[in-house]
Structures are given as C-alpha cells and as structure tokens.
Amino acid sequence: IPARDREVSRRNRANAHNNSMLHLNRPHYVIALAAALWLAPFVSAVRAEPRASRTATDGSAATISERPNQVRGDEITPQQQKAVEAGLVYLASRRPGAGASESPPGITALQGLAFMQAGNLPGRGRFGKEVAERLQYVMNSCQQSGLIANDAGSGSMYGHGFATLFLGEVYGMTGDDEVKEKLQRAVRLIQKTQNPQGGWRYTPVPLDADISVTICQVMALRAARDAGIKVEKEVIDRSIRYVRSCQNGDGGFSYQPGMSNSGFGRTAAGVASLYYAGIFEGNELARGLDYLSRFPTGGAPGQGVEGMYFYANYYAVQAMFLAGGDYWAKFYPTVRDQLIARQDKDGSWTGEAGPEYATAMALIILQMPNRYLPVYAGKGPGS
C-alpha cells in the first residue's frame, strides 16, 4: 500500500473522529487496517514524491532529500527478519513492567511500539495479546495529574514521553475512548510543564530543559496531534526555538544551549525534533545531517560516539529515514548489521537500561522500513 494512500487513510480517520462520526464505522476501519498490515510485507518498495533541493545560507546547493521517506526495497534481509522474529519472541516472554528503569511504563510502552511495528494492534495479530497487556499496564500507570509513571521521581518525563507516544499511536489506530481520555491528560501535562525556553527535563516541572527529554515530548505531541488530539501551536513553536538554540557551529547539537560539546546522540535527537516539529527544510537540518554523516558506523561504541547506543540510534534511524536519499541508504544497513551481530542467543539485546529496553529499541530500529506506525514516517504537528 503506497505511503501516500496510508497517510490519506489515517488523516481521514482522524478527521472523522473529530466530527464524532468515527465510532459508527470503527470495526470496518480496524479490519481494513489489519488487512493493510498483513499485505504490507509483500510490497517491495514504498515511494514518496521527490522533494526539491534548497540552497544553504552560504549560497551552496544543499539537498536534504531527493526522495524522503522512501523504502528502497532491499533493506529487509533474511538475517534481519530472523533477528526481528527472535527479538519479538523474547519480548513476548517478558511480563509488562519488567526492566531496570525508574520509569517502567516508558519501557513497557516501547515494547508495545515494537510489537506494533510488526503489524500488531491490541488484541489483534500474532502479538496482539502482548500489545493489549502492555497497553493495560501503561493505562494503569496513568495518574490523575496526567503523568504516566509509577512515581514522579528523577527521569519520569522520559517514561512519560514514551508512554504518551504509545497511547497516541494506539488511539490513532483504534479510536478507543478510554485511551483518548488518558492521552488528553498526558498531553495537557506535557504542555503545562514546558519551561520558558521551550524545552522539558527529567521531572514534570517547568524549571529546566535538555534536548534529550525534549525530543521525547515533541514526539509524543506529534503522535497525539496526528491522532486528532488538540496540541497548542505555541507549545510546538517554543520547542522549535529551544532545539535550534542547542545547535553548535559544527552543525551538531549540545545537551543544553550554550554547551560547546556536540554529540552523535544529541544531534540525532535534535534533527529528529525538528522533523517532528514540522521543519522539513533548512540550513539547520542540512548541517545536523552532515554532522551525523561524520560517523560512518553510526553510533557504534568505540567510534568516537558517547554512550547510550540504543537511545542514540533510535533517534538517528528516524532522522536518517525522514531525510531519505543517501542518508538513509548509507545509515540503515550499517546499524542493521550492527544490531544483528550484537543480538544474544535468546533473541534479546543488552545495554543501558536492561534487556527489555534494549530489545524494544533494537526492534524499533530494525523495523523502521516497515512504516507501520505513522509517528515514524509522517509529518509533525507543525506541518
């Protein structure tokens, strides 16, 4: 199914819901979506309209992408399929809420997204039971304030961002009213905790910000707005200003404004933030992508890249996919083969916040060519 057709279908569903009519035909939409997800693996390539080049501020021609959001058809190999299968089976063996993290709902949400990337919905598909279980865990973790966390401790906004993103994708595909209510409260919390500079940080208070937590909230808002949830334009505009303030002269992004040290993961988050906030052309994108391209092995350890391998490549694969063209063609096979080589015998990956987190992240990265989830392939809330 061509990407444009799926995008039109998704937007039509969102518009219908906003007019309070979607519930009348919801079973038919779910059946159609299930059929689309079943047929998609047999499509060898998905194409998008070419995007014109633009001129950088220095006057030189700088094409961000001639073919954005394009799956070429050769990214999915037998080795990749085998790795994904083993990873999904491993995740299915884990209970919801498992994982060494201060925000288990966030890790649980990432697992749900990994299963949905394989074409599953709550209660539908081979791993539909697993998606439903993770959705219920996240829903049970929703507090009255809107925060999705088991507590409000350090790092809770990371988990909140991932969990809100998951709810946005589920609601956009199911129209579940209970999910909608939780999602709306989660979005309101994100909006009211944005700090004056336009970013977010570890806890749900508008005092400080960094680019790492900010990208989690930008993606969550993007998924919610795509699903028909109201997101204030001023919130998006402020987030764009904050992200831009983190870019350094070398094209890379720093952890916070005024810090001189650029990094691979931080730059991947910065570029992805701009895309998801609705910025698709411009000098800052070209410079950020050029910085990422200085790392030919992606975020591989020992290659001059800071830690957080899975987190960094989670955003890098999105940035490169949205950039398209040579950026995507060169990056994805590299990180794909790295992940296949790093997979453990039981189907899991290890690192950072534990095997549940690392495995979910690895699966999302590996399944990026599937294009099953709108959040990873479409336009942002500023578009």
Side-chain angles (χ1 to χ4, degrees):
I1 296 177
R4 286 170 291 173
D5 290 351
R6 290 207 307 277
E7 178 69 7
V8 169
S9 176
R10 181 186 57 73
R11 289 186 183 277
N12 286 343
R13 292 198 304 275
N15 290 337
H17 178 82
N18 290 340
N19 291 328
S20 301
M21 296 177 62
L22 185 58
H23 65 281
L24 296 177
N25 294 308
R26 177 61 56 184
H28 301 289
Y29 283 118
V30 173
I31 293 171
L33 175 63
L37 297 180
W38 184 82
L39 288 170
F42 299 97
V43 180
S44 63
V46 180
R47 300 186 181 277
E49 293 296 331
R51 180 173 298 159
S53 304
R54 58 103 192 142
T55 302
T57 55
D58 61 3
S60 62
T63 300
I64 292 181
S65 174
E66 294 292 345
R67 294 165 305 198
N69 304 349
Q70 180 182 13
V71 174
R72 304 183 316 147
D74 59 354
E75 293 96 335
I76 299 177
T77 64
Q79 294 81 7
Q80 183 256 19
Q81 291 176 311
K82 182 179 179 181
V84 167
E85 167 69 13
L88 292 171
V89 170
Y90 172 83
L91 276 191
S93 72
R94 310 300 293 168
R95 63 179 178 81
S101 170
E102 295 171 330
S103 299
I107 289 181
T108 302
L110 288 169
Q111 293 178 35
L113 290 168
F115 287 122
M116 291 177 73
Q117 274 277 70
N120 301 278
L121 291 174
R124 293 179 179 272
R126 178 184 173 190
F127 295 103
K129 172 176 171 287
E130 285 71 22
V131 180
E133 290 174 344
R134 280 146 184 83
L135 175 61
Q136 191 59 56
Y137 183 90
V138 171
M139 297 277 283
N140 291 343
S141 301
C142 293
Q143 302 178 16
Q144 190 61 37
S145 66
L147 182 67
I148 308 175
N150 292 342
D151 56 58
S154 175
S156 60
M157 285 303 286
Y158 272 124
H160 180 82
F162 290 134
T164 304
L165 167 62
F166 177 48
L167 293 185
E169 293 302 282
V170 170
Y171 174 64
M173 292 186 175
T174 66
D176 186 302
D177 286 336
E178 185 179 359
V179 174
K180 178 183 180 182
E181 189 270 333
K182 306 283 190 184
L183 176 60
Q184 286 175 319
R185 279 196 280 155
V187 167
R188 284 195 292 268
L189 180 127
I190 292 175
Q191 294 188 140
K192 74 179 184 181
T193 57
Q194 185 180 39
N195 89 330
Q197 287 71 45
W200 292 265
R201 209 163 192 208
Y202 303 129
T203 55
V205 290
L207 299 178
D208 204 354
D210 69 66
I211 199 167
S212 182
V213 179
T214 295
I215 174 58
C216 291
Q217 315 315 314
V218 170
M219 283 193 68
L221 293 177
R222 181 248 192 229
R225 184 161 178 177
D226 271 1
I229 302 300
K230 180 177 175 57
V231 175
E232 299 295 337
K233 183 178 184 298
E234 293 78 10
V235 172
I236 301 302
D237 291 343
R238 287 196 295 268
S239 72
I240 293 172
R241 288 196 295 270
Y242 179 80
V243 171
R244 283 172 165 161
S245 72
C246 293
Q247 190 166 32
N248 292 322
D250 60 2
F253 287 74
S254 60
Y255 185 63
Q256 292 177 308
M259 299 178 67
S260 60
N261 54 329
S262 301
F264 178 83
R266 295 186 287 276
T267 302
V271 172
S273 294
L274 292 174
Y275 274 125
Y276 288 126
I279 306 299
F280 294 93
E281 297 287 350
N283 189 53
E284 63 263 83
L285 272 181
R287 291 168 56 230
L289 289 165
D290 287 345
Y291 180 90
L292 292 177
S293 298
R294 299 176 194 175
F295 300 86
T297 56
Q303 301 297 320
V305 179
E306 71 273 17
M308 306 301 287
Y309 171 85
F310 293 96
Y311 184 86
N313 281 295
Y314 169 76
Y315 288 117
V317 77
Q318 295 173 60
M320 295 303 196
F321 181 70
L322 291 167
D326 288 341
Y327 291 116
W328 169 250
K330 292 178 180 179
F331 178 81
Y332 179 77
T334 299
V335 72
R336 176 196 65 201
D337 294 346
Q338 283 177 15
L339 287 171
I340 292 172
R342 290 181 58 144
Q343 189 174 29
D344 294 330
K345 291 182 179 179
D346 64 355
S348 70
W349 282 266
T350 56
E352 298 161 30
E356 292 84 5
Y357 168 86
T359 302
M361 286 294 213
L363 287 170
I364 292 172
I365 294 168
L366 285 173
Q367 296 180 97
M368 192 61 62
N370 290 357
R371 293 179 59 103
Y372 287 167
L373 293 181
V375 71
Y376 295 128
K379 295 186 177 182
S383 60

